[in-house]
Amino acid sequence: MKAEISKVTINDVAKAAGVSKGTVDRVIHNRGEVSRKSREKVLRVIDELGFKPNLYASLLASQKERTICCIIPECRPGEFWSMTRKGIQEAAAIVSRYGVKVVCAGFDQYSVDSFRMACDSVVSMNPSGVLVAPMFRDETMRLADSLSSSGIPFMFLDSKIDDAGYLAYFGMPMYESGYLCADILTGGRNIPHKVYVVRISRDKTGLSDPTAARRAGFMDFMARHYPETLIENVFIDPKDAASIYERLDATVGREKDGRFVVMFNSRIHLVADYLSVKGFHDCRVVGFDALERNVAALKDGTVYALIAQHTDRQALDAVNAMTDHLLLGTPVAKRDNFIQMDILNRYNCDYYL
Amino acid sequence: MKAEISKVTINDVAKAAGVSKGTVDRVIHNRGEVSRKSREKVLRVIDELGFKPNLYASLLASQKERTICCIIPECRPGEFWSMTRKGIQEAAAIVSRYGVKVVCAGFDQYSVDSFRMACDSVVSMNPSGVLVAPMFRDETMRLADSLSSSGIPFMFLDSKIDDAGYLAYFGMPMYESGYLCADILTGGRNIPHKVYVVRISRDKTGLSDPTAARRAGFMDFMARHYPETLIENVFIDPKDAASIYERLDATVGREKDGRFVVMFNSRIHLVADYLSVKGFHDCRVVGFDALERNVAALKDGTVYALIAQHTDRQALDAVNAMTDHLLLGTPVAKRDNFIQMDILNRYNCDYYL
DNA sequence: TTGAAAGCGCTAACAT
DNA sequence: ATGTTAGCGCTTTCAA
């Protein structure tokens, strides 16, 4: 939202160009009905005088309303997506003053059907712009096509699909975050004998795994710097607490040479719970995202570090960018907006939001 | 800037309360001339209808201009304060649309006189609000008194003076940043035999040292976790390159047991230059702030980590908060706004801004 | 193709 | 103490 308030008004322009306000307005919004001659003259005068329309007067007069739809996973308080939702809320409050409404269409991140339904409902609303967390590739492509053909701009949040014609992307550089994670996990210790990568077992196939790139970055770092270190995957089901303990007991629990554990999603607190209950204190544990439960584990020393991102700010930026685009017709400043990766430990986490 | 756009207008309120727009307006801005009875009625109706004045219509109509003055050190590109200035610029562009002007009064951060002059010039402008980096205690108190007695609100940036009646503070938690710094410096290595603290020698006395609290945090951490470690202060003059090398040669250069070096201001690049020229690669170096030259040293491996803060965002937040306060009369959301401390290493610095 | 005029919601000067 | 009215800069009919 960069438009400068300018002292030059549409009246000044009209006078200087020898036409009426109406004509100037028609030129500004190129809605035709203007002779080439007047058009050129007005354009020249606008340039000479440095006229910038007053956005607020414009909004006041037009009383136009726009709607931005967000297609975002549903979640419970404290879960990953709640931060994003918070950012969207905040943004909604701000842009409401420009006559822009923000509405969310939620979906179950483990259900293609629910994603499809969310997409359909959004398309049927004929929104001015769309923000979407593209959890399912094919359905996202369908959505993208549908929106594109209606001339509705859309942006990706958190992850992206490159060959969809998105207006902008806001998210973390995933591969690099895995690389960073490996550095932190291994930094300043003896060479780890083995690293446990705890993963969520997904029963459905066809789900796009948003952390795949992160895992790749991690593996590349390890292969390069610690080729001798063993990597063992441990699959758990987040909904089945008992089985988590079982699985971890059979793996991490048996380790004798110093426990190194990572997770690439936001659920490291599951591991922290286990370690804490078992009284394992000699571990090096690194995870992602500053969920309350993760930060608690950071503070009590069970987790060594978290790699976090301000998804709320990310969402806010996205909504703002979309609003700018809608109101000002601004071509977005940057197409791929990579958020910074924040390293959190027990000493700086208190000041993280 | 949270005000919701509301469908209820001042006309609706006037009608419902059985008075005129003028009276409603008087009540809203409590500029007297209203009978108790009308006043109460209007207030009740406002509450019932949930009326929120349309800020833009209001701004449009009143054509009022306000000025925020910033008293900030002068600096060259790439230096610490240039980030802050950037944030102020950005904020200025945004709030200009609310008819708020932002002007900067610069000063030489090593000269009390120049600070005093900046303060005086600001006071004489009779600004609507003031942002100040309180580098000199006594002069800042003078400024605070003067502003307070004129009813001009002011905020502190970067550091603060507790017993001045500031409206808000935006900055880093300095003590904690020193603690964090010590943790990073010592983390995952053998116990350091000695740590070199490189400091700027200031010839003038009476300067408030903004990094004193940070140093205290650092020392406390060391005393607690590494009581055996020696701490040696090395004073350098940033303007005298030759003497820097001399001083470092005589200290850091002679170290045999692994070199640990920190600086508490933004000039760690001076040390990095030295180490790099000398070809010392076995060092653990930690500094502050993501200046270009510091980040360069981070990337080439000379510096191990930087603790950084987004002073641009900080400044932007401050200007926004002041604007809100001026326009909406909002009591600031938080008085002490501690910015997060960002840990930068070679793997995440590319995405830092 | 163009101009004139009536607002949008609010402020402020002027009446009463 | 209160109502009336003329704008603020722009959009949008409606005529011409």
Side-chain angles (χ1 to χ4, degrees):
Chain A
M1 308 301 297
K2 285 272 171 59
E4 292 270 343
I5 241 172
S6 111
K7 306 291 90 186
V8 188
T9 77
I10 200 173
N11 265 315
D12 302 329
V13 175
K15 221 160 288 172
V19 298
S20 73
K21 298 199 296 181
T23 302
V24 176
D25 189 67
R26 282 173 201 118
V27 172
I28 294 174
H29 302 290
N30 19 219
R31 57 171 113 78
E33 316 281 299
V34 177
S35 71
R36 248 182 68 101
K37 229 180 89 179
S38 316
R39 200 185 134 72
E40 276 165 12
K41 189 157 199 178
V42 168
L43 249 22
R44 212 181 46 242
V45 171
I46 285 182
D47 188 53
E48 278 166 7
L49 268 45
F51 165 77
K52 301 247 187 281
N54 180 322
L55 183 58
Y56 303 108
S58 165
L59 257 24
L60 219 211
S62 76
Q63 300 289 99
K64 236 181 244 152
E65 301 224 327
R66 341 234 169 184
T67 306
I68 298 176
C69 285
C70 305
I71 308 177
I72 302 288
E74 272 144 10
C75 64
R76 279 169 303 185
E79 290 187 345
F80 178 79
W81 287 99
S82 65
M83 262 287 101
T84 302
R85 283 178 177 269
K86 180 171 153 280
I88 290 177
Q89 300 269 308
E90 203 179 321
I94 294 174
V95 302
S96 75
R97 290 180 303 153
Y98 306 105
V100 174
K101 299 238 169 309
V102 180
V103 309
C104 279
F107 66 91
D108 172 357
Q109 60 178 308
Y110 298 105
S111 154
V112 196
D113 288 341
S114 94
F115 182 72
R116 184 188 305 117
M117 281 178 55
C119 292
D120 288 347
S121 86
V122 162
V123 167
S124 73
M125 293 181 63
N126 188 38
S128 318
V130 172
L131 263 44
V132 55
M135 301 290 274
F136 303 92
R137 191 172 203 296
D138 293 347
E139 287 306 321
T140 302
M141 289 308 290
R142 243 173 46 97
L143 173 71
D145 288 344
S146 163
L147 293 175
S148 297
S149 69
S150 315
I152 300 172
F154 61 93
M155 299 178 172
F156 285 144
L157 231 49
D158 194 60
S159 61
K160 62 172 171 161
I161 292 174
D162 283 309
D163 42 339
Y166 63 93
L167 185 63
Y169 162 69
F170 291 81
M172 214 191 232
M174 293 301 276
Y175 180 90
E176 288 77 2
S177 72
Y179 217 82
L180 173 62
C181 173
D183 174 64
I184 294 172
L185 183 73
T186 57
R189 283 257 181 143
N190 302 328
I191 297 177
H193 164 66
K194 187 193 269 196
V195 170
Y196 294 94
V197 174
V198 181
R199 300 171 61 178
I200 302 290
S201 54
R202 308 200 171 210
D203 34 28
K204 307 206 182 183
T205 53
L207 287 184
S208 67
D209 179 358
T211 64
R214 181 173 285 166
R215 196 165 60 244
F218 181 89
M219 297 303 286
D220 285 355
F221 181 100
M222 294 304 292
R224 180 160 172 192
H225 296 285
Y226 299 94
E228 311 284 271
T229 297
L230 303 171
I231 310 285
E232 179 168 342
N233 287 291
V234 182
F235 287 89
I236 61 170
D237 175 357
K239 283 163 194 148
D240 183 354
S243 85
I244 295 178
Y245 275 50
E246 236 170 70
R247 294 295 309 129
L248 292 178
D249 258 338
T251 51
V252 180
R254 300 237 168 107
E255 181 60 44
K256 289 293 165 233
D257 286 328
R259 301 173 221 274
F260 290 77
V261 190
V262 276
M263 281 187 83
F264 297 129
N265 53 48
S266 63
R267 318 266 193 156
I268 194 67
H269 56 82
L270 296 174
V271 173
D273 284 349
Y274 167 83
L275 295 173
S276 167
V277 164
K278 289 290 179 179
F280 294 146
H281 293 306
D282 56 334
C283 321
R284 179 83 147 210
V285 181
V286 176
F288 284 83
D289 300 312
L291 308 194
E292 241 176 75
R293 299 182 59 188
N294 291 350
V295 173
L298 198 60
K299 283 178 133 164
D300 74 23
T302 318
V303 168
Y304 173 72
L306 289 172
I307 297 171
Q309 54 179 331
H310 272 297
T311 54
D312 52 343
R313 201 172 293 153
Q314 203 170 87
L316 194 154
D317 288 349
V319 174
N320 275 334
M322 183 59 91
T323 300
D324 273 12
H325 179 74
L326 259 24
L327 261 36
L328 276 31
T330 328
V332 294
K334 241 200 295 183
R335 188 163 187 240
D336 287 321
N337 299 272
F338 294 113
I339 199 172
Q340 78 187 47
M341 300 182 281
D342 299 315
I343 303 170
L344 262 48
N345 66 19
R346 60 197 315 177
Y347 297 115
N348 70 342
C349 64
D350 278 335
Y351 300 94
Y352 196 70
L353 220 164
Chain B
M1 309 299 299
K2 285 271 170 60
E4 291 270 343
I5 242 172
S6 108
K7 306 290 93 188
V8 188
T9 77
I10 200 173
N11 265 315
D12 302 329
V13 175
K15 220 160 287 172
V19 298
S20 75
K21 296 198 301 181
T23 302
V24 176
D25 189 65
R26 281 173 201 116
V27 172
I28 294 174
H29 301 291
N30 22 212
R31 56 170 113 77
E33 318 279 298
V34 177
S35 72
R36 249 182 66 101
K37 228 181 90 180
S38 316
R39 202 185 132 72
E40 275 164 13
K41 188 157 198 180
V42 168
L43 249 22
R44 212 182 45 243
V45 171
I46 285 181
D47 188 53
E48 279 166 7
L49 267 45
F51 165 77
K52 301 248 187 279
N54 181 322
L55 184 60
Y56 303 107
S58 167
L59 256 25
L60 221 210
S62 75
Q63 299 289 100
K64 237 182 243 154
E65 300 226 324
R66 343 234 166 183
T67 306
I68 298 175
C69 285
C70 305
I71 309 178
I72 302 288
E74 273 144 9
C75 64
R76 280 170 301 186
E79 290 187 344
F80 178 79
W81 286 100
S82 65
M83 263 287 99
T84 302
R85 284 178 175 267
K86 181 172 153 279
I88 290 177
Q89 300 269 308
E90 204 179 320
I94 294 174
V95 301
S96 76
R97 290 180 304 155
Y98 306 104
V100 175
K101 300 238 167 308
V102 180
V103 309
C104 280
F107 65 92
D108 172 359
Q109 59 178 309
Y110 298 106
S111 154
V112 196
D113 288 341
S114 94
F115 182 70
R116 185 187 306 116
M117 282 178 53
C119 291
D120 288 348
S121 87
V122 162
V123 168
S124 73
M125 294 181 63
N126 187 38
S128 318
V130 172
L131 263 44
V132 55
M135 301 290 274
F136 303 92
R137 192 172 202 297
D138 294 348
E139 287 306 321
T140 301
M141 289 308 289
R142 245 176 41 98
L143 174 70
D145 288 345
S146 163
L147 293 175
S148 297
S149 69
S150 315
I152 300 171
F154 61 94
M155 299 178 172
F156 286 144
L157 230 49
D158 194 59
S159 61
K160 62 172 171 162
I161 294 173
D162 284 309
D163 42 340
Y166 63 93
L167 185 63
Y169 162 69
F170 292 81
M172 213 190 231
M174 292 300 276
Y175 179 90
E176 288 78 2
S177 72
Y179 217 82
L180 173 63
C181 173
D183 174 64
I184 294 173
L185 183 73
T186 58
R189 281 261 182 139
N190 302 327
I191 298 177
H193 164 66
K194 186 193 270 194
V195 171
Y196 294 94
V197 175
V198 180
R199 300 169 61 178
I200 303 290
S201 54
R202 308 202 171 208
D203 34 28
K204 307 206 182 182
T205 54
L207 287 183
S208 68
D209 178 358
T211 63
R214 182 173 285 166
R215 196 166 60 246
F218 181 89
M219 297 304 285
D220 284 356
F221 180 100
M222 294 305 292
R224 178 159 174 193
H225 296 285
Y226 299 94
E228 312 283 272
T229 297
L230 303 171
I231 310 286
E232 179 169 342
N233 287 291
V234 182
F235 286 89
I236 61 170
D237 174 358
K239 283 161 194 150
D240 183 353
S243 85
I244 295 178
Y245 274 51
E246 237 171 68
R247 294 293 310 128
L248 292 177
D249 257 339
T251 52
V252 179
R254 300 235 169 109
E255 181 62 43
K256 287 295 165 231
D257 286 327
R259 301 172 221 274
F260 290 76
V261 190
V262 276
M263 283 188 82
F264 297 129
N265 53 48
S266 63
R267 318 265 194 157
I268 193 68
H269 56 82
L270 296 174
V271 172
D273 284 349
Y274 167 83
L275 295 173
S276 167
V277 164
K278 289 292 179 179
F280 294 146
H281 292 307
D282 56 334
C283 321
R284 179 84 146 208
V285 181
V286 177
F288 283 84
D289 300 311
L291 309 194
E292 241 176 73
R293 299 182 60 189
N294 291 350
V295 172
L298 198 60
K299 282 177 134 165
D300 74 22
T302 318
V303 168
Y304 173 71
L306 290 173
I307 297 171
Q309 54 180 330
H310 272 297
T311 55
D312 51 343
R313 201 171 293 153
Q314 204 171 85
L316 194 153
D317 288 349
V319 173
N320 275 334
M322 183 60 91
T323 300
D324 273 11
H325 180 73
L326 260 23
L327 261 37
L328 276 31
T330 328
V332 293
K334 243 202 292 184
R335 188 161 187 243
D336 287 321
N337 299 272
F338 294 113
I339 199 173
Q340 77 186 47
M341 300 181 282
D342 299 314
I343 302 171
L344 263 48
N345 66 20
R346 61 196 315 177
Y347 296 115
N348 70 341
C349 64
D350 278 336
Y351 299 95
Y352 197 70
L353 220 166

